[in-house]
Amino acid sequence: MNFVEIKDLVKTFRTKFGVVNAVDHVSLEIMKGELITLLGPSGCGKTTTLRCIAGLEKPNSGDVVIDGKPMFGHGFVPPSQRNIGMVFQNYAVWPHMTVADNVAYGLKLKKVSRPVRTQRVREIVELVGLAGLERRYPAQLSGGQQQRVALARALVGQPKVLLLDEPLSNLDAKLREKMRFEIRRLVKQLQITAVYVTHDQAEAMVISDRIAIMDSGKLVQVGSPTEIYHRPATRFVAEFIGVTNIFDGRVEHVDQARGFASVATELGRTICRLPNPTMISMDTAVYLSIRPEDVEVFTENPGAGVNIYKGKVIERAYLGHLLYLFIAAGKAQLRVQSHPRLEVTEEQEVYVHLDPDRCVILTS
């Protein structure tokens, strides 16, 4: 069931350089209990979209519907009446208040009785792992603990929707990794609908049920982390999520019955499986994408088969858990992630194999 609906949302800003389309006709449906991430580079419109959901920005057109109620279409619903919780990038905790007072602040504004406030604060502080720290001030807490205070404050009011705007960007790498799992655990335990904004691809992959990728104000692809990674819709998505090899190509032949296409690339003739055989036609200019971990390396000719190319190791880097190689093949250069025990040296001749099922054809 759709719990949050973003309907043809448009938000523009007037600058000294002209009008900027920060959000350009974005539509998105979010199910109840789903954790969805708005992902994209800086300036793509993800935070502006989040602020429109929160009511901190008013769109030029379009609407946001929360639990069946329009937030703009039937008059502007202010943030205080949307029953949302929001976690900001800079924590925004009150430095002169204790942990307990920070968490209880929103309940106090809503005139929730003291006994109920005390009980809710006790429950949520324990839930986020801050039990025993209720009387401390923010200056006495670590960055991770301050972020937990901000999260507790957003959750204590039992909001319909939780909004998180780059909440981990100020934490160190190790703590960021830990907090990704903590946030997902909390959201799923409370069965709350959440919208998360980040530019960190790994963060989005770990935390999300679905990822909505934005570019230049537009929504370019929505899908599960697996779908986004293995079946990107565009070259932008393929290159933005993780690392990939991209080659210019032209379709030579399409076998619709078997679901394969033959593409002329810098490597040579490459066979690719098509999820939708009608997606392309012959002589179409395309891009071919394959992830480094999907390229097999052989020190001897593996024999007959498709997508086997002779090459030479240009560079190698041993990273412990994998061997990273740059291999020249044909007129192309491939990035390859291989098993760390593969014994190859620079300048050594090798053979590479591209699995047709892992080769992705992109038309844009």
Side-chain angles (χ1 to χ4, degrees):
M1 183 181 82
N2 294 328
F3 193 71
V4 177
E5 294 180 76
I6 301 172
K7 296 185 172 183
D8 200 28
L9 204 67
V10 175
K11 176 62 182 177
T12 62
F13 293 104
R14 189 172 296 278
T15 71
K16 62 181 181 180
F17 302 107
V19 175
V20 175
N21 293 320
V23 182
D24 193 356
H25 297 280
V26 167
S27 295
L28 181 64
E29 297 177 344
I30 304 167
M31 294 182 291
K32 187 174 179 64
E34 184 177 27
L35 198 168
I36 193 164
T37 296
L38 302 180
L39 174 67
S42 297
C44 72
K46 55 189 185 294
T47 293
T48 303
T49 301
L50 192 80
R51 289 175 63 85
C52 287
I53 297 173
L56 301 176
E57 297 284 357
K58 292 183 180 180
N60 298 76
S61 62
D63 205 351
V64 174
V65 179
I66 299 177
D67 195 15
K69 183 178 180 180
M71 297 293 105
F72 301 102
H74 299 161
F76 175 66
V77 178
S80 60
Q81 296 177 23
R82 296 190 179 200
N83 195 9
I84 59 170
M86 190 155 184
V87 181
F88 296 92
Q89 180 177 350
N90 61 353
Y91 315 144
V93 294
W94 298 104
H96 62 288
M97 292 184 182
T98 64
V99 168
D101 289 339
N102 261 288
V103 176
Y105 185 72
L107 298 178
K108 190 173 182 180
L109 289 179
K110 293 179 180 179
K111 303 189 184 302
V112 175
S113 66
R114 182 182 293 272
V116 174
R117 285 204 314 265
T118 302
Q119 178 64 22
R120 284 198 197 170
V121 169
R122 183 185 302 116
E123 291 173 350
I124 201 69
V125 163
E126 185 174 348
L127 190 65
V128 300
L130 291 174
L133 304 179
E134 293 88 345
R135 295 188 177 182
R136 289 195 185 181
Y137 289 89
Q140 298 172 307
L141 302 175
S142 67
Q145 289 169 334
Q146 290 185 54
Q147 191 58 276
R148 288 171 189 267
V149 174
L151 189 59
R153 185 179 57 191
L155 291 171
V156 74
Q158 300 173 330
K160 288 183 176 180
V161 181
L162 178 65
L163 307 177
L164 304 105
D165 186 14
E166 303 265 12
L168 307 182
S169 60
N170 291 329
L171 304 181
D172 63 68
K174 191 171 182 179
L175 189 53
R176 253 196 336 265
E177 185 176 358
K178 181 180 179 181
M179 285 299 296
R180 293 169 189 167
F181 293 99
E182 285 293 304
I183 289 175
R184 180 168 176 83
R185 177 187 64 81
L186 283 169
V187 167
K188 292 304 174 182
Q189 184 174 337
L190 296 171
Q191 298 182 327
I192 193 169
T193 306
V195 184
Y196 192 102
V197 161
T198 184
H199 65 274
D200 187 314
Q201 303 97 316
E203 199 169 290
M205 295 287 282
V206 169
I207 208 167
S208 312
D209 293 321
R210 286 191 301 154
I211 299 172
I213 297 186
M214 297 186 68
D215 180 33
S216 302
K218 295 181 181 293
L219 199 60
V220 293
Q221 186 174 1
V222 182
S224 69
T226 301
E227 291 168 343
I228 294 287
Y229 187 81
H230 290 295
R231 285 293 164 187
T234 66
R235 177 172 181 163
F236 169 80
V237 175
E239 293 184 311
F240 188 76
I241 294 289
V243 177
T244 194
N245 295 286
I246 293 278
F247 307 108
D248 293 333
R250 185 165 293 276
V251 179
E252 292 182 325
H253 178 71
V254 178
D255 186 341
Q256 294 191 356
R258 299 174 59 197
F260 285 95
S262 172
V263 180
T265 69
E266 302 160 77
L267 288 167
R269 184 170 179 263
T270 306
I271 306 298
C272 311
R273 182 180 291 280
L274 299 172
N276 178 9
T278 63
M279 65 179 285
I280 59 170
S281 56
M282 288 180 58
D283 205 37
T284 303
V286 295
Y287 301 108
L288 175 68
S289 169
I290 187 163
R291 301 289 182 183
E293 65 271 22
D294 292 328
V295 180
E296 292 183 279
V297 180
F298 301 92
T299 54
E300 296 181 359
N301 192 335
V306 299
N307 299 353
I308 296 173
Y309 310 99
K310 188 176 182 179
K312 181 185 288 187
V313 177
I314 304 302
E315 293 183 63
R316 69 185 298 277
Y318 177 73
L319 301 180
H321 65 295
L322 61 85
L323 184 64
Y324 207 90
L325 303 172
F326 286 87
I327 297 175
K331 297 179 180 179
Q333 184 169 288
L334 281 162
R335 286 175 287 189
V336 180
Q337 292 180 13
S338 193
H339 194 282
R341 292 183 182 176
L342 177 68
E343 294 184 2
V344 294
T345 59
E346 292 183 0
E347 299 300 315
Q348 181 177 340
E349 289 190 346
V350 294
Y351 293 86
V352 293
H353 172 243
L354 279 57
D355 185 343
D357 289 335
R358 296 294 187 179
C359 294
V360 180
I361 293 179
L362 306 169
T363 57
S364 62

